[in-house]
Amino acid sequence: MSHEVLISARDGVARIAQIEAGQLVGFQAARMGQEDNAAEQLVGHIYLAQVERVVPHLQAAFVNIGLERAGFLGAREARALVPDADRDTPIEDCVQSGDTLLVQVTRPPVGDKGAQITADVTLPGRVVVIAPCRNRVAVSRSIEDDAERTRLGELAAQIIAGEHGDPIVVEGMDGPAGWVIRTAAVGMQAGDLAGDMAAVAAQWEVLIDRAEDATPATLLHEDLGPVERAVRDLVRSDTTTVCLEGDGALTAAQNYCRTHSPALSERLETSDDDEYLFDRHNIDQQLAEALSPRVELPSGGWLMLETTQAMTTIDVNSGSHDAPARAINVEAAGLIARQIRLRGLGGLIAIDFIDMTETDDAEAVLHALDDGFASDKEPVRIGPISEFGVVEMTRRRGGMTLSQTLREAGIDTV
């Protein structure tokens, strides 16, 4: 499946679209320039912070990270601080009021809610992520080739041990720090992988040195700007093109590639002088569709999506479609996965498919739904189809939803 990244920088806003087989599957938007202090740009920032109060009945702590509102640290995100913690370890066993700790923003402030933060701090490079609160080498689940997964895991372990140069030893929370091998590492050999690991390790050591001399609340690490972050995080082994519109975008991408990944420069290209980049693949039209509660199926049916604070419900309607229920549902399943990813939906999601009677039909629909999330970076769990034709699934909440992203970036219409 072909993959493209389109980056349009206009009026101080970077708009970033991911395209798979001509379809929009991901969209980001952020103001250019750290001086804007846009909320979305806070994601990935690492702070030396101080716990203000622990609230057992919420299983959360409120943490001063130097912003207007305290950060929200849930028990699940705090358990990284306790080496032998399990899923039932309470928040009060992880942190206490007055504690000083490193935290990272995982979701920006929205409305009257403070930023969501985690104590499981990570520092990403182009092809690896260092994870000091973990103690093993993991490989991205998006790499589906088992042989390649094994090769990369073993290669990273050899690099850490010094079999391909100097050992890369970084102290973590409970022994040596862990690592995550990203999808971009597919096919990479020892020299290049070791180079990225060494660079990220050096960044981490600088951050720790700063933390030792700082007092809370202090910003220790700012993530890259939106264009550089897109090149780092979104370009995959199957990405054919990174097309940029706007001089600022091209310069930012070229500077990142020159420093971190010269080979990526070959995939950079610019839009034509008289071209509006998002005319490609009718991106604005696809965005408008993703903001609507109703989405048309190509063959005549439609989806209705409704999101509340508790959950998202999706109803599949056959409309004028006279094909068997299986065909309608399989078609809908792929579109549902794309819409969930594009809209940035998370939490509990209930999908009401058209009733089917055959077990094989249900399996085909679940398979199509699962395939739709194959390249999704957020963990997804999909349950069986109930006797009433309903599938319950969960998806980890990432950053902001699509509508929140557009609003935060100051994009009123698309």
Side-chain angles (χ1 to χ4, degrees):
M1 181 182 295
S2 63
H3 180 255
E4 302 171 67
V5 179
L6 309 184
I7 305 174
S8 174
R10 291 186 168 207
D11 302 320
V13 176
R15 303 166 72 207
I16 302 154
Q18 288 189 76
I19 307 295
E20 291 180 0
Q23 297 295 315
L24 181 66
V25 297
F27 182 85
Q28 302 170 10
R31 297 187 181 96
M32 302 275 285
Q34 294 293 337
E35 66 276 3
D36 292 321
N37 197 33
E40 179 68 12
Q41 293 187 20
L42 298 176
V43 173
H45 284 18
I46 299 173
Y47 294 85
L48 183 68
Q50 188 167 51
V51 179
E52 291 184 342
R53 66 185 188 279
V54 177
V55 187
H57 76 272
L58 292 179
Q59 278 302 289
F62 291 91
V63 181
N64 178 16
I65 59 175
L67 301 181
E68 181 180 353
R69 293 182 295 277
F72 182 89
L73 178 67
R76 182 174 60 182
E77 289 72 29
R79 291 179 186 130
L81 298 170
V82 181
D84 58 350
D86 57 34
R87 61 186 301 173
D88 297 319
T89 300
I91 186 70
E92 54 267 34
D93 286 356
C94 302
V95 294
Q96 301 293 322
S97 297
D99 283 355
T100 297
L101 61 155
L102 292 180
V103 298
Q104 187 167 33
V105 176
T106 58
R107 190 172 184 177
V110 177
D112 59 354
K113 297 181 179 179
Q116 290 188 16
I117 57 178
T118 181
D120 186 11
V121 173
T122 59
L123 192 63
R126 164 75 185 130
V127 298
V128 297
V129 177
I130 192 170
C133 291
R134 310 174 203 176
N135 56 12
R136 66 186 183 93
V137 175
V139 180
S140 169
R141 67 188 186 92
S142 296
I143 301 176
E144 298 181 351
D145 186 309
D146 290 339
E148 180 66 356
R149 290 177 59 86
T150 300
R151 185 189 74 86
L152 287 171
E154 292 176 349
L155 184 58
Q158 293 167 5
I159 292 169
I160 293 169
E163 296 181 25
H164 298 277
D166 294 334
I168 299 178
V169 180
V170 179
E171 183 178 351
M173 178 66 65
D174 185 31
W179 295 85
V180 179
I181 311 303
R182 309 184 76 176
T183 309
V186 169
M188 187 166 284
Q189 300 305 309
D192 291 334
L193 184 61
D196 198 56
M197 292 177 72
V200 178
Q203 281 186 280
W204 178 255
E205 295 297 343
V206 170
L207 186 152
I208 291 300
D209 288 344
R210 291 189 61 194
E212 291 176 351
D213 297 331
T215 56
T218 301
L219 173 63
L220 298 175
H221 169 77
E222 296 183 36
D223 205 359
L224 299 171
V227 173
E228 299 95 321
R229 195 163 59 242
V231 175
R232 181 192 69 193
D233 295 342
L234 303 182
V235 177
R236 313 183 319 214
S237 58
D238 62 342
T239 302
T240 57
T241 302
V242 180
C243 191
L244 301 110
E245 178 182 62
D247 293 336
L250 178 61
T251 300
Q254 288 174 330
N255 288 341
Y256 175 82
C257 290
R258 187 178 301 113
T259 303
H260 299 281
S261 188
L264 281 184
S265 299
E266 300 176 357
R267 299 192 223 179
L268 303 182
E269 64 178 48
T270 57
S271 60
D272 297 334
D273 290 340
D274 58 350
E275 177 188 20
Y276 172 49
L277 184 58
F278 277 18
D279 278 345
R280 297 189 187 183
H281 309 294
N282 295 316
I283 291 175
D284 284 346
Q285 179 181 337
Q286 293 193 59
L287 281 172
E289 182 180 72
L291 295 171
S292 170
R294 175 167 170 150
V295 180
E296 303 296 328
L297 290 169
S299 53
W302 71 88
L303 308 176
M304 290 297 298
L305 297 91
E306 182 178 1
T307 298
T308 65
Q309 287 189 340
M311 65 185 299
T312 294
T313 59
I314 303 174
D315 185 33
V316 180
N317 297 276
S318 60
S320 60
H321 200 319
D322 58 2
R326 169 176 170 155
I328 303 171
N329 286 336
V330 167
E331 179 184 66
L335 183 56
I336 286 169
R338 184 168 71 87
Q339 286 292 318
I340 288 172
R341 293 171 58 195
L342 179 55
R343 295 172 188 235
L345 301 178
L348 178 62
I349 301 169
I351 307 168
D352 185 9
F353 286 104
I354 299 169
D355 289 343
M356 299 175 292
T357 57
E358 299 295 330
T359 301
D360 288 348
D361 293 346
E363 290 178 355
V365 172
L366 289 174
H367 183 71
L369 188 62
D370 190 59
D371 281 351
F373 290 105
S375 58
D376 190 6
K377 294 196 298 183
E378 302 297 343
V380 171
R381 294 176 59 192
I382 301 174
I385 295 184
S386 74
E387 61 179 308
F388 305 109
V390 175
V391 171
E392 292 184 352
M393 62 166 287
T394 61
R395 180 176 185 264
R396 186 178 68 184
R397 298 183 189 275
M400 295 187 286
T401 65
L402 176 62
S403 58
Q404 290 169 339
T405 295
L406 294 172
R407 185 166 58 250
E408 179 62 33
I411 301 174
D412 295 327
T413 58
V414 295

